[in-house]
Amino acid sequence: MKLHSPSRFGALFALAAAIASGPASAQTDLTNLVEPLKTYRFGDSTAALDTIAARVSASRAAPEQRRAMANALAEILSSNAGFDAKQFACRQLVFVADDEQVQGLASLLSDDALAHYALLVLARLRSPAAADAAVKALPGSHGRTEIEILDTLADLGDARVVGAAESRLVAQDSALRDAAAAALAKIADGHALDLLLACYSRAGSADQARLGHVLLGVANRVQHLGNPTAAIQIYDTLNRNSANPVLSAAAMRGIAVIQGDRALPMLLEALAQEGTHRQAVAAVALRELPGPAVIERLAGAVTKLHGRSQLLALQILSERPGTSAAPAIVALRRSTIAAVRTAALRAAGSLGDPSAVPILISAAAAGGSEERAAARDSLVRLRGAAVDRALMAVLDTGAPPAQVEAIVALGRRGSMGITPRLLKAARNSNANVRVAALRVIRDQGTPTSLPALTDLLMGTLANDRDPVIDAVAQIVRRFPEARVGLPALLDRLGLATSPADRLALVMVIGQVGGQRAFTALRRATGDPASGVRLAALSALAEWPTDEPMPDLLRIARAAQDASQRALALRGYLRMAGSSELRTPDEAFGLIDQVRSIAVRPEEKRLILAGLSRFPSLKAIEYAESLVHDPDVGSEAELAVVEIGRVTCGAWPQKTCSSLESIAKSGKLDAARKRAESVLAATRGFGDFVVAWEVSPAYQRDGADYARLFDVPFAPEDGNGAGVPWRLMPPGAGTDLPWLLDLLALLGGEQRVAYLRSSVWTESPRDLVLEAGSDDGLKVWWNGSITISHNTARAVAPRQEKATVHANAGWNQILMKVTQSIQGWGACARLTAADGSPAIGLRFAIPSSVN
């Protein structure tokens, strides 16, 4: 906001007082007001100018005051005042002057310094008197003043400027010539246009270019004013000037806008002019001209064009559907230029009709890579049921490559009612045709296709059944209700005598899911044919729940076949760690059941690979027991390190001992380096609490992190019973070893998680809990809230402090940490009440002390 100076406020108060005191007093005040202006020079105080400007503004609403103010300012113009005063007076007269002040303004037109300001006022008056003053001053003017008088007369629409401009069109001064042309352009009557056109025709190249642009503007304006004849006269003159291709092209477009499709011969001729401005502008005009005649003429001419013009024509045709270009496409398919052939195929998608289908199918099946892509795209873009029928006809008469392309096109078009015909094609003797048909059925089929697909499965050779099985599986995934077709599959399975048939059916049933499928698969694990047994076992090993675990354990113990045992073990181990409701000890207990049967190296590796998903002391001890095994020692070393990375906070002594052994004498270089890295991180723990268990992440629809802060989830209820707590790894690096990185562990946004730890002290005492978080943090100490800060921030130590009272024995810490976006984590440490290290504390995960 601009602040007014004291002088400005003074002027306003003086003005208000003068107006309030009556006409006579106001007139006297006006004389006194204007008089100081006569001696004003730039740099003096502007107080007087501010007062005058305020009076001018106030007088505009009162005719008598306005007239008096204008006359007072006009007196300045005829006085001996300097330039600064007179130009200020002119600027104010713009708001209040009328014809009464024209004489005073006219006196300034002979002064090159002040003429500009006088003309500003005369142009605003727009009166005959103002025009007369300008006309009278013009003969004696020169330079900038002469140019501005011409411009003012043209703005006033005074026809006398035409004669004045005519003589100046041949002036030596190029600026004056341009001003004369500009004045004629503003008048733009018949005589002015004739003068401009005549001047243009005899001008040199430089002047002609400038005049041409002036004429182009005139033509555009008179066209919009409803005089297309005059516009065409100008456009024709410019269009014929090949010496200036830019003007010529612009004029050609103007002609096309006015004449429409009558300009087509001219545009088509220009389109053939390779690499010119006219070619580019003609292409734009052909895109914009309305009506079917444009496309019909262009489609008929496209075969006669060459090079870029042909490509432009095809592009325009592809953008303006409305007529069949199949004959042109047929002709251009024989072009020796690959780009032209491709463009023709692309245009067919917009302009083609069913007759274009054979051309496009042929190109899609046998053209170059770009041509195939263009043809396939056009087959999709062609509209109408007749196109679908033409594609279906290819399935009856075409060669196998053409049939494949027709099937793919029908699928991409989403054509309706084609499934029966595709099912027939799925029995074709050509493998490529069969696969293409089954892929479309797979992607677009419905449960009604399942019985036919089942029949097809039974009638297909064993080596060709995979696409059929895939089609059934995808349909079932898209339509869970497709399980209604399961009884028919189960009946077929019960009746099938061929192992190959039973194998195919088991593979399908395994992807259907549901309890009846599960029962059938369990039964099939005892099938006499090993292939069927293996297929059923594979389906059970990938089952989405852990329901097959007892069967997998039974098979792993009893199987004589190594591949079956390995498959059962892999599925069993995956399911052992798949439930968040299992604690690491419970999961390890399930693994412990297969330790005795994992005697082969590959079976031991399966167990070692799964151990890192449920880190615990038992897991690290098991991995250590295999470190010296000659077959899996390397894998065991890596497992020890990976488990130790997570357990080093909860069980630092045991974990560090195991890691030190690997770092000192491990056989695998990668394991030694990783062990050393984890040990280095543990040395940075200091007095931070690193023994934590973490809950799952919790969310609620419509609630962001700030609202979730006050939503109580299960861990806040009592001691968190029923929550699937798991071990929280400390920081992975030496830079932030104390960081509890929830983002790395749980990921996600707009959610919360809980962390809990147990702290032991021998005797009661006060401690200071220091904590940090990303984002919000709520902390309970022995069930009572001690810290609560709903915020968004990056984590850092000591962001929050609270004094807590520790009871003798174990004390409980529970932290709730919210997550907005990006980082998510927390940290905590305990000190003595005076801030010194808290001696004698022990930390443990609550599940190990409860």
Side-chain angles (χ1 to χ4, degrees):
M1 181 178 70
K2 182 177 180 180
L3 298 177
H4 295 286
S5 64
S7 63
R8 172 74 51 97
F9 280 118
L12 292 173
F13 288 138
L15 172 63
I19 293 174
S21 62
S25 176
Q27 186 61 48
T28 301
D29 177 68
L30 183 61
T31 302
N32 295 334
L33 178 71
V34 175
E35 188 64 26
L37 180 59
K38 295 179 180 179
T39 60
Y40 172 76
R41 297 291 183 273
F42 182 76
D44 295 349
S45 170
T46 61
L49 275 63
D50 292 341
T51 304
I52 292 171
R55 179 68 67 87
V56 168
S57 178
S59 70
R60 295 174 68 183
E64 289 302 320
Q65 293 179 21
R66 172 177 176 162
R67 181 170 180 269
M69 190 72 245
N71 285 330
L73 289 168
E75 291 179 9
I76 299 295
L77 304 184
S78 58
S79 71
N80 61 354
F83 168 81
D84 295 330
K86 289 184 178 181
Q87 69 92 12
F88 176 78
C90 286
R91 289 183 178 277
Q92 297 303 312
L93 280 167
V94 167
F95 302 110
V96 294
D98 57 23
D99 283 353
E100 194 173 347
Q101 287 79 47
V102 166
Q103 184 175 354
L105 293 164
S107 67
L108 301 184
L109 295 180
S110 60
D111 185 333
D112 287 339
L114 289 167
H116 170 75
Y117 300 99
L119 288 168
L120 288 177
V121 186
L122 293 173
R124 189 204 64 80
L125 290 177
R126 305 196 66 80
S127 67
D132 290 344
V135 169
K136 185 176 180 181
L138 184 58
S141 63
H142 59 275
R144 175 183 171 185
T145 300
E146 185 177 10
I147 290 172
E148 290 194 359
I149 291 175
L150 285 171
D151 188 57
T152 300
L153 284 169
D155 285 340
L156 292 172
D158 195 300
R160 288 173 290 180
V161 77
V162 174
E166 181 178 4
S167 61
R168 290 168 172 81
L169 285 172
V170 293
Q172 293 294 319
D173 184 358
S174 63
L176 184 57
R177 295 198 303 271
D178 290 345
L184 291 173
K186 289 182 179 179
I187 297 300
D189 60 13
H191 184 39
L193 292 181
D194 288 342
L195 288 173
L196 283 172
L197 289 170
C199 185
Y200 174 79
S201 64
R202 65 173 180 265
S205 58
D207 283 345
Q208 199 172 62
R210 293 197 299 272
L211 281 169
H213 285 289
V214 171
L215 282 167
L216 194 62
V218 174
N220 292 337
R221 190 163 80 255
V222 298
Q223 176 188 341
H224 289 301
L225 291 175
N227 190 355
T229 302
I232 284 290
Q233 182 184 5
I234 299 171
Y235 286 140
D236 277 338
T237 300
L238 298 176
N239 183 42
R240 290 192 299 269
N241 186 354
S242 59
N244 194 316
V246 174
L247 283 173
S248 172
M252 176 184 65
R253 184 173 183 181
I255 293 171
V257 170
I258 295 173
Q259 294 186 342
D261 55 18
R262 287 181 292 137
L264 280 174
M266 174 186 65
L267 293 175
L268 291 173
E269 179 184 356
L271 189 66
Q273 297 171 2
E274 287 294 295
T276 64
H277 287 287
R278 290 176 65 81
Q279 183 185 53
V281 172
V284 173
L286 287 166
R287 282 189 177 91
E288 296 175 348
L289 283 184
V294 178
I295 302 305
E296 291 172 4
R297 291 286 297 274
L298 188 58
V302 68
T303 57
K304 302 172 185 177
L305 299 172
H306 303 282
R308 176 172 170 76
S309 60
Q310 204 166 50
L311 290 174
L312 286 171
L314 286 168
Q315 185 176 356
I316 295 167
L317 288 171
S318 68
E319 295 171 1
R320 294 195 52 174
T323 187
S324 174
I329 294 168
V330 171
L332 293 176
R333 277 289 294 141
R334 294 191 293 270
S335 173
T336 58
I337 303 173
V340 171
R341 296 196 301 270
T342 301
L345 293 168
R346 188 171 291 113
S350 301
L351 298 169
D353 56 23
S355 66
V357 169
I359 305 169
L360 295 172
I361 286 289
S362 175
S369 59
E370 292 187 4
E371 293 176 49
R372 286 200 303 271
R376 288 166 179 166
D377 181 63
S378 287
L379 284 169
V380 175
R381 289 188 293 114
L382 281 173
R383 294 293 88 195
V387 175
D388 288 342
R389 290 193 293 271
L391 288 169
M392 296 285 278
V394 175
L395 297 183
D396 295 322
T397 61
Q403 290 178 317
V404 169
E405 295 298 334
I407 290 169
V408 171
L410 287 165
R412 290 182 61 194
R413 290 169 62 83
S415 302
M416 304 297 292
I418 62 173
T419 301
R421 188 63 188 83
L422 292 178
L423 286 168
K424 179 181 178 182
R427 299 178 182 274
N428 194 287
S429 59
N430 184 275
N432 292 332
V433 174
R434 293 197 303 271
V435 170
L438 286 166
R439 284 176 178 170
V440 176
I441 296 172
R442 175 196 66 188
D443 297 335
Q444 300 181 15
T446 64
T448 58
S449 308
L450 289 177
L453 285 172
T454 303
D455 291 338
L456 180 63
L457 180 65
M458 294 295 95
T460 301
L461 295 175
N463 293 336
D464 296 331
R465 285 175 169 174
D466 285 349
V468 187
I469 293 170
D470 187 38
V472 174
Q474 291 293 343
I475 292 173
V476 169
R477 290 192 182 102
R478 286 201 313 277
F479 300 95
E481 67 273 18
R483 290 176 183 167
V484 298
L486 182 61
L489 292 171
L490 295 177
D491 289 344
R492 293 291 186 93
L493 180 61
L495 296 173
T497 57
S498 164
D501 289 348
R502 295 200 302 276
L503 172 61
L505 288 166
V506 164
M507 292 176 70
V508 173
I509 291 169
Q511 298 189 60
V512 170
Q515 189 59 44
R516 295 187 68 183
F518 175 64
T519 302
L521 292 173
R522 290 185 65 204
R523 188 182 303 114
T525 59
D527 193 276
S530 61
V532 177
R533 294 197 302 272
L534 193 62
L537 180 57
S538 296
L540 291 177
E542 296 299 326
W543 204 252
T545 70
D546 61 4
E547 194 174 4
M549 284 187 73
D551 293 284
L552 295 174
L553 179 60
R554 170 182 55 78
I555 294 170
R557 285 173 171 168
Q560 298 299 313
D561 181 77
S563 59
Q564 289 190 27
R565 184 165 56 251
L567 189 57
L569 276 173
R570 185 177 291 110
Y572 179 86
L573 292 171
R574 179 186 66 81
M575 294 173 188
S578 64
S579 174
E580 289 188 346
L581 299 178
R582 290 195 188 98
T583 67
D585 283 342
E586 289 172 341
F588 184 80
L590 293 174
I591 292 177
D592 201 40
Q593 296 187 51
V594 296
R595 285 175 61 181
S596 60
I597 63 174
V599 294
R600 292 180 174 83
E602 61 272 17
E603 295 164 352
K604 295 176 183 177
R605 291 189 186 99
L606 285 174
I607 293 180
L608 287 170
L611 285 178
S612 60
R613 294 201 301 272
F614 7 86
S616 65
L617 282 180
K618 292 178 179 178
I620 203 169
E621 288 169 355
Y622 176 75
E624 274 190 302
S625 71
L626 295 175
V627 163
H628 299 294
D629 188 307
D631 295 318
V632 297
S634 296
E635 290 87 345
E637 288 180 356
L638 289 172
V640 168
V641 176
E642 187 60 26
I643 298 167
R645 185 187 67 80
V646 182
T647 61
C648 62
W651 300 287
Q653 186 173 358
K654 167 58 181 169
T655 301
C656 288
S657 174
S658 300
L659 292 174
E660 286 167 355
S661 177
I662 299 295
K664 181 178 180 181
S665 56
K667 297 177 182 178
L668 194 66
D669 183 59
R672 291 196 304 273
K673 290 180 179 179
R674 183 67 175 134
E676 291 168 356
S677 175
V678 176
L679 287 169
T682 64
R683 290 190 284 272
F685 289 163
D687 54 359
F688 281 89
V689 184
V690 290
W692 295 93
E693 290 175 314
V694 62
S695 73
Y698 296 94
Q699 302 178 259
R700 182 163 294 180
D701 289 343
D704 65 2
Y705 75 103
R707 290 181 58 191
L708 292 172
F709 185 82
D710 292 318
V711 176
F713 293 100
E716 297 181 37
D717 183 15
N719 61 359
V723 176
W725 297 99
R726 57 172 162 157
L727 209 55
M728 178 72 206
T734 56
D735 51 344
L736 302 174
W738 39 264
L739 175 63
L740 307 172
D741 193 344
L742 293 167
L743 183 65
L745 185 69
L746 303 175
E749 297 178 356
Q750 310 305 329
R751 51 199 349 216
V752 302
Y754 295 81
L755 294 156
R756 69 176 188 174
S757 184
S758 296
V759 184
W760 182 91
T761 180
E762 185 175 3
S763 58
R765 55 169 158 169
D766 287 340
L767 298 168
V768 175
L769 173 63
E770 298 177 348
S773 65
D774 181 342
D775 290 291
L777 178 67
K778 189 179 290 188
V779 181
W780 290 261
W781 176 270
N782 287 333
S784 298
I785 295 177
T786 59
I787 293 172
S788 181
H789 192 178
N790 191 353
T791 185
R793 63 187 176 190
V795 64
R798 304 180 184 87
Q799 289 173 318
E800 312 288 345
K801 287 186 179 181
T803 300
V804 296
H805 180 73
N807 301 318
W810 289 105
N811 299 267
Q812 304 298 320
I813 308 175
L814 177 67
M815 296 198 301
K816 178 179 186 178
V817 189
T818 64
Q819 157 69 337
S820 178
I821 58 174
Q822 298 180 345
W824 186 19
C827 63
R829 64 192 293 266
L830 289 164
T831 70
D834 60 1
S836 62
I839 308 301
L841 299 181
R842 297 206 314 265
F843 303 97
I845 57 173
S847 60
S848 67
V849 299
N850 290 343

